[in-house]
Amino acid sequence: MRAIRRFTVRPVLPPALEALGVLALNLRWSWHPETQDVFEEVDPALWESTGHDPVGLLGAVGRTRLEELAADEGFRERLAVAASDLESYLTGERWYQRVAARAGDGERGPAAIGYFSPEFGITAVLPQYSGGLGILAGDHLKAASDLGVPIVGVGLLYRHGYFEQSLSREGWQQETYPLLDPDGLPISLLREADGSRATISIAMPGGPDLVARIWVASVGRVPLLMLDTDVEGNPEHYVDVTDRLYGGNSEHRLRQEMLLGVGGVRALRAFSRITGHPVPEVFHTNEGHAGFLGIERIRELTVAESGPRLDFATALEVSRASTVFTTHTPVPAGIDRFPRTLVEQYFGESGATPGVPIEKVLALGTEDYDGGDASVFNMAVMGFRLAQRANGVSILHGEVSRGMFNGLWPAFDEAEVPIGSITNGVHAPTWVAREVIGLAESQGADSESDDTDAFWSAVDKVPSAEVWSTKRRLRERLVVDARKRLRRSWEKRGSAKAELAWIDSALDPDVLTIGFARRVPSYKRLTLMLRDPARLKRLLLDPERPIQLVIAGKSHPADDGGKKLIQEMVRFADDPEVRHRIVFLPNYDIAMAQPLYPGCDVWLNNPLRPYEACGTSGMKAALNGGLNLSILDGWWDEWYDGENGWAIPSADGLDDPDRRDDLEATALYELLENEVAPRFYDVDADGVPTRWVEMLRHTLKSLGSKVLATRMVRDYTKQLYTPAATNARLLNSDYEGARDLAAWKQRVKAGWADVRVEYVESSGVGDAPEVGAHLDVRAFVSLGELSPDDVAVQLVHGRTDADDRLTDTVIEPLAVAETYDGGRYRFDGAVTLDHSGSFGYTVRVIPRNALLASDAELGVVTMA
């Protein structure tokens, strides 16, 4: 029999325990061990069986036990301390407020930031994430909360989440989609003043409006809004819009992204109206999935019910100035592209954003550049065109992104494409074992201090034996957890309990433990370690210096290639000869990751360079004293220093992918055999591998401050959020600034065809110039209808290669020296020759306006 209606009955807590409900509904508990201790004390067995879920715990605990706790003075005191600590955390002054108190008018950060992402990985009990993008978004919110940065998260609530992974007897990935009951999650409905649920609606082609309700998760100080279309009255295909993460066909994905972008902006407006929360001044789209938020903001300005109605060009400038776009994708295949006809169907007349001409919408996502496909609508392209500021997520990824999207700025060299870099970080309180934090705190270090260098350096003072015994305990905890997961997996694959006695000795807490866990697209090369199975077996079974591998990862349900890689790995790990040394653990999630990172001695990452945008799993391992063994890709390319781990040599540029894999796998085996394992097992008289512990200490000191999400969010605040808010205020005060900027851009573009560098002459150096000589340059420039105030004339100089291409360029401004008739000018400047060797220069003209974020923003340049 099936129920015709379902609902969740929430527990009624005794008055003395009401604070438990408050603590359960603020997700700060997920990174605050002291609050977790309070919940564990309620019922340790239930805490374990509910997967450390406070809402599930309180729903399952018996009334008798609650009454016992209400009468327990010691428990009430500990509960009061936890509740008071949360209140202080939520209301106290933090980094952002301290900076704001010192800031001048031009340095004032935004009152609020809307942060849009299709997924958020906050905690395992709120499974709204699939991999690195979502975990990064979750860490971004948590770090913003810790710093007091006024972010509001915006996402979707998927009633089936991503998927749960299991294995068939043959080792093939199988997916299930358990139904999530919102009433059983640590979230609450946003309600109007009269108690009715707050909703947003979006016009849909040929049908009724799509209606979505708004759920709110409290991530510390940060509210996370999640839209859900499982609303009474919605047709079934509307209900299915938020069925699962990254599922369905192109139209399904377009509907999800329309709901996220357009609906997300409307949800923010409702949230601010109902709660009084400041209206966001800056909008940050985490990948292109939420790009339609820019279209909705343009619609608000062009069809404004109150205030002036702006033309499209002015509204575009207002929206762009306050929008930040972060790209995470190092491969074109990872970008959402929709048929133009489909976008036209949903955004045409009477579509989702009425008042915004469809031809303007389509133009924003058109691949109208060399090598582009004019028949598709590219979400990343739209993201760049709708944001004045954009970034990749590591220095190398920024370089890769500038190459990928150079077509949007064809007049500029790749190095000047306006895509910067802010390297990702990870949220230490979520991912670092409390025992590791305790090592530093035992030496008086303060984990709440802004001086993160001092905190991680404190580990230097801890005796080596204590450091090593702590790491051994964490390794043992991982072994225990992995055996439980391994047993459940084998039983689900059909094995009888009687044939699983071997699992009791699978893995060993005294053996060098290597972790590899991530999504399983082909470029991450899950099976690179299997290129020579016999050699890997020898490493696993070495009688004196064995290694053991803990492996996990999910493949996208539609990616059969990824599933085949998993099956290949599982079949190798099933071999009775090695299954005690290598395990594949299904259903990789936050709950698995939290004991995995601290328990590993080495974190392995061997992607196909340069396709790893950042790779934050290695950061989490490093913060737990793990040493990275990685291809120089993503974050490791910029922060590997030769002493904090090992770099796997990569055979970049080889045309034969099999040959490249063979070479890089061989390099991996040799590092493991000749450097990693010998150092781990080289112990002193007390059994401590002193050289290994020194590398561990150096890892924490050299990387501890760099890989933090708090560093990342500070960088976003200083480099992107605050400048965006400053520009937006200049344009938004009465919109005259935006109108002027839009008109200026139109005038400059219209007149640019008449801009020419007519002649360049130089003096001051002879036929054999020496270092220290002064080169004087005069450029005669025709600007047509434009004026010198509209442009910058620049001397670009540097070294030259065999084809006279400039490298290592430096830009010097040239100043107006003389004015002639007909819009002609002479610009002068000078440069000192400060190095020997080849030297070359040229002169160029670019548009100049104080409100531009980069020289390339208009995409035009005139060269001599």
Side-chain angles (χ1 to χ4, degrees):
M1 292 181 290
R2 298 185 64 186
I4 61 171
R5 185 183 174 204
R6 60 176 173 82
F7 53 85
T8 298
V9 180
R10 292 188 180 270
V12 177
L13 295 169
L17 302 182
E18 285 180 352
L20 283 172
V22 175
L23 293 173
L25 286 178
N26 192 301
L27 294 172
R28 191 215 182 195
W29 62 258
S30 68
W31 71 88
H32 192 246
E34 292 80 4
T35 304
Q36 295 169 21
D37 291 343
V38 169
F39 284 118
E40 183 176 21
E41 190 176 351
V42 170
D43 188 315
L46 274 179
W47 178 243
E48 187 66 27
S49 65
T50 58
H52 298 180
D53 176 1
V55 174
L57 170 76
L58 296 181
V61 69
R63 186 145 194 91
T64 301
R65 177 57 180 160
L66 291 175
E67 290 171 353
E68 289 175 359
L69 292 169
D72 185 334
E73 183 178 353
F75 179 80
R76 293 200 313 272
E77 288 177 356
R78 289 185 287 278
L79 175 59
V81 168
S84 175
D85 184 78
L86 176 62
E87 178 65 18
S88 175
Y89 174 86
L90 297 177
T91 58
E93 183 181 78
R94 305 194 77 79
W95 172 81
Y96 192 80
Q97 290 69 42
R98 293 192 291 272
V99 170
R102 302 191 300 266
D105 288 342
E107 302 169 326
R108 183 165 49 91
I113 303 118
Y115 181 88
F116 289 64
S117 179
E119 49 175 308
F120 286 91
I122 310 292
T123 166
V125 305
L126 188 62
Q128 302 292 309
Y129 59 94
S130 71
L133 181 71
I135 298 298
L136 181 278
D139 282 8
H140 198 105
L141 298 195
K142 294 173 187 176
S145 174
D146 290 345
L147 294 170
V149 178
I151 279 179
V152 181
V154 182
L156 303 181
L157 181 69
Y158 307 94
R159 67 179 181 276
H160 293 289
Y162 188 40
F163 69 86
E164 289 192 359
Q165 177 198 46
S166 60
L167 301 172
S168 71
R169 181 176 287 277
E170 293 75 29
W172 189 256
Q173 172 178 294
Q174 297 178 317
E175 302 96 22
T176 54
Y177 294 86
L179 182 66
L180 300 175
D181 179 4
D183 290 324
L185 300 175
I187 58 179
S188 57
L189 270 175
L190 180 66
R191 295 188 179 276
E192 300 284 356
D194 63 3
S196 62
R197 66 189 180 194
T199 61
I200 61 94
S201 61
I202 301 175
M204 300 287 277
D209 286 359
L210 170 72
V211 178
R213 53 187 173 174
I214 306 164
W215 296 90
V216 183
S218 296
V219 186
R221 299 165 69 114
V222 171
L224 168 59
L225 313 182
M226 295 181 287
L227 294 165
D228 165 30
T229 58
D230 190 2
V231 175
E232 188 176 341
N234 269 342
E236 190 62 31
H237 60 290
Y238 286 10
V239 170
D240 287 342
V241 168
T242 53
D243 59 350
R244 60 185 64 171
L245 180 59
Y246 302 142
N249 57 20
S250 288
E251 186 169 14
H252 185 265
R253 289 288 291 275
L254 180 69
R255 287 173 173 171
Q256 287 188 334
E257 296 185 9
M258 184 171 66
L259 177 63
L260 175 60
V262 176
V265 172
R266 295 176 186 177
L268 273 176
R269 303 307 185 206
F271 181 73
S272 292
R273 172 179 56 80
I274 292 168
T275 66
H277 192 282
V279 173
E281 292 185 88
V282 172
F283 292 76
H284 184 176
T285 174
N286 189 40
E287 253 310 336
H289 309 284
F292 290 125
L293 73 85
I295 307 297
E296 169 61 8
R297 294 184 62 217
I298 291 170
R299 183 202 66 79
E300 290 180 324
L301 295 164
T302 56
V303 298
E305 296 179 2
S306 62
R309 292 191 176 190
L310 307 182
D311 61 274
F312 179 87
T314 304
L316 175 61
E317 295 306 329
V318 172
S319 177
R320 287 187 76 251
S322 54
T323 301
V324 172
F325 174 56
T326 297
T327 176
H328 294 258
T329 307
V331 289
I335 296 169
D336 281 335
R337 301 159 87 224
F338 299 108
R340 282 169 59 91
T341 53
L342 188 63
V343 175
E344 189 171 10
Q345 176 185 351
Y346 279 87
F347 286 87
E349 189 175 350
S350 302
T353 53
V356 184
I358 184 59
E359 65 272 14
K360 299 288 190 182
V361 176
L362 292 173
L364 288 166
T366 297
E367 295 183 0
D368 54 356
Y369 46 80
D370 288 345
D373 182 350
S375 70
V376 301
F377 184 94
N378 186 309
M379 294 296 288
V381 166
M382 179 178 66
F384 285 115
R385 286 174 172 157
L386 283 174
Q388 194 177 39
R389 290 167 173 79
N391 69 286
V393 293
S394 68
I395 290 177
L396 180 58
H397 179 236
E399 294 174 7
V400 170
S401 298
R402 288 189 286 275
M404 282 179 63
F405 297 105
N406 202 165
L408 293 172
W409 298 272
F412 287 82
D413 288 343
E414 186 176 302
E416 288 193 276
V417 168
I419 303 174
S421 295
I422 292 181
T423 303
N424 284 343
V426 299
H427 185 243
T430 294
W431 301 109
V432 181
R434 64 166 71 182
E435 290 86 350
V436 176
I437 298 291
L439 288 175
E441 290 180 336
S442 71
Q443 303 303 312
D446 180 7
S447 60
E448 292 289 320
S449 171
D450 289 341
D451 188 355
T452 54
D453 284 327
F455 179 82
W456 294 107
S457 295
V459 179
D460 252 357
K461 303 173 186 176
V462 181
S464 294
E466 185 176 344
V467 172
W468 192 237
S469 66
T470 298
K471 195 65 184 174
R472 203 264 180 199
R473 287 199 305 276
L474 296 172
R475 200 182 306 118
E476 184 173 36
R477 181 183 301 162
L478 168 60
V479 168
V480 171
D481 184 73
R483 287 173 182 171
K484 290 178 182 176
R485 295 176 184 276
L486 193 62
R487 185 176 300 278
R488 287 199 299 269
S489 175
W490 276 85
E491 289 176 356
K492 197 161 188 177
R493 293 173 68 185
S495 294
K497 292 183 179 181
E499 57 184 315
L500 297 179
W502 63 271
I503 291 178
D504 292 336
S505 57
L507 305 180
D508 184 329
D510 293 307
V511 166
L512 169 59
T513 303
I514 301 173
F516 183 102
R518 50 190 46 86
R519 290 186 305 110
V520 190
S522 59
Y523 75 87
K524 291 183 184 282
R525 298 194 295 184
L526 167 69
T527 56
L528 184 70
M529 65 186 81
L530 300 182
R531 294 296 289 186
D532 186 342
R535 188 164 185 182
L536 178 59
K537 278 189 176 183
R538 290 198 300 272
L539 288 167
L540 293 168
L541 302 175
D542 188 292
E544 295 182 358
R545 298 188 300 215
I547 68 170
Q548 59 191 11
L549 284 154
V550 181
I551 302 168
K554 292 180 177 179
S555 175
H556 187 281
D559 182 7
D560 281 351
K563 292 180 184 180
K564 287 178 181 176
L565 296 177
I566 289 175
Q567 185 178 48
E568 184 181 349
M569 178 58 68
V570 171
R571 286 178 169 172
F572 180 88
D574 283 353
D575 183 347
E577 188 180 3
V578 296
R579 64 188 181 187
H580 64 298
R581 287 279 187 260
I582 179 170
V583 298
F584 182 92
L585 304 179
N587 206 38
Y588 180 45
D589 66 356
I590 291 174
M592 181 192 298
Q594 286 177 319
L596 176 58
Y597 295 121
C600 287
D601 303 293
V602 172
W603 196 256
L604 175 62
N605 190 27
N606 46 229
L608 193 65
R609 189 179 191 273
Y611 296 133
E612 183 75 88
C614 185
T616 55
S617 61
M619 295 178 170
K620 301 179 185 87
L623 286 176
N624 282 287
L627 306 182
N628 276 267
L629 172 61
S630 176
I631 294 284
L632 286 173
D633 203 0
W635 74 276
W636 191 235
D637 181 68
E638 66 195 82
W639 285 333
Y640 166 68
D641 67 6
E643 297 295 331
N644 51 16
W646 294 270
I648 304 170
S650 56
D652 298 0
L654 274 185
D655 293 332
D656 183 347
D658 286 334
R659 174 68 175 153
R660 179 172 179 172
D661 284 354
D662 285 340
L663 289 173
E664 294 181 8
T666 298
L668 169 60
Y669 296 139
E670 290 179 353
L671 279 170
L672 287 170
E673 186 172 0
N674 300 323
E675 296 190 37
V676 180
R679 183 160 298 194
F680 181 87
Y681 289 104
D682 180 15
V683 299
D684 63 14
D686 297 319
V688 177
T690 53
R691 289 195 303 155
W692 187 280
V693 171
E694 287 310 307
M695 287 185 73
L696 185 159
R697 294 185 198 274
H698 178 70
T699 291
L700 292 173
K701 289 188 295 180
S702 66
L703 297 176
S705 295
K706 293 176 181 176
V707 302
L708 296 179
T710 46
R711 185 273 312 154
M712 172 187 71
V713 173
R714 284 190 180 103
D715 287 349
Y716 273 103
T717 301
K718 296 172 185 175
Q719 299 175 31
L720 298 177
Y721 296 158
T722 298
T726 300
N727 249 20
R729 290 173 192 137
L730 292 172
L731 298 182
N732 290 5
S733 56
D734 57 6
Y735 297 121
E736 283 306 310
R739 289 190 181 94
D740 291 346
L741 180 59
W744 177 84
K745 283 188 174 182
Q746 186 175 15
R747 180 169 60 83
V748 169
K749 286 182 177 179
W752 200 259
D754 296 326
V755 175
R756 297 185 304 278
V757 180
E758 296 181 331
Y759 179 65
V760 178
E761 63 181 28
S762 62
S763 62
V765 295
D767 294 334
E770 297 178 344
V771 171
H774 295 278
L775 174 71
D776 297 307
V777 176
R778 293 168 295 283
F780 297 86
V781 177
S782 175
L783 297 179
E785 296 297 319
L786 303 182
S787 78
D789 291 337
D790 295 321
V791 303
V793 180
Q794 299 173 330
L795 173 68
V796 184
H797 63 89
R799 298 185 184 275
T800 57
D801 64 14
D803 297 318
D804 288 335
R805 285 191 294 262
L806 289 171
T807 61
D808 303 325
T809 54
V810 177
I811 296 174
E812 308 279 357
L814 301 182
V816 177
E818 286 193 13
T819 302
Y820 311 108
D821 293 336
R824 298 176 64 248
Y825 306 86
R826 193 187 90 213
F827 290 79
D828 291 357
V831 62
T832 301
L833 307 185
D834 61 359
H835 64 80
S836 59
S838 65
F839 180 90
Y841 71 90
T842 188
V843 170
R844 72 178 185 181
V845 185
I846 59 171
R848 180 179 63 184
N849 189 298
L851 293 172
L852 299 183
S854 79
D855 289 345
E857 186 166 324
L858 267 68
V860 294
V861 62
T862 294
M863 305 296 299

